[in-house]
Amino acid sequence: MQKIKITTEYITLAALLKFCGAAESGGEAKELIQAGAVKVNGEVCTMRGKKLRGGDRVELDGVQYEVEQSCI
């Protein structure tokens, strides 16, 4: 499982996919999400604007990412 550290209150699902390199562009992230290929906390999520906070887990193609809240 890959840990994705954020320093903001939340990150959107599409932004997370771009940030961690799972999607090369916002358009690709949108397509993956709308196709039902992405799970958030074990459930398929089709909302690209879904707000992810520390502890949330995202899965795509068998790879898991966990959002980790980091204080500055």
Side-chain angles (χ1 to χ4, degrees), residues 23-70:
E24 301 224 355
S25 67
E28 183 181 357
K30 178 182 175 182
E31 288 177 16
L32 290 167
I33 295 165
Q34 288 182 336
V38 181
K39 289 184 179 180
V40 174
N41 297 325
E43 296 184 17
V44 173
C45 181
T46 57
M47 300 176 354
R48 67 180 178 161
K50 170 83 173 155
K51 293 178 182 177
L52 304 171
R53 293 178 167 80
D56 284 335
R57 294 181 179 198
V58 174
E59 183 178 341
L60 174 64
D61 294 333
V63 179
Q64 293 186 347
Y65 306 92
E66 183 175 357
V67 178
E68 202 172 78
Q69 202 92 32
S70 173

Side-chain angles (χ1 to χ4, degrees), residues 1-12 15-16 19-20 52-56 64-72:
M1 178 177 306
Q2 296 183 26
K3 305 274 186 181
I4 306 299
K5 292 185 181 185
I6 61 170
T7 57
T8 56
E9 180 184 349
Y10 65 87
I11 186 170
T12 64
L16 177 106
F19 181 71
C20 70
L52 304 171
R53 293 178 167 80
D56 284 335
Q64 293 186 347
Y65 306 92
E66 183 175 357
V67 178
E68 202 172 78
Q69 202 92 32
S70 173
C71 297
I72 295 178

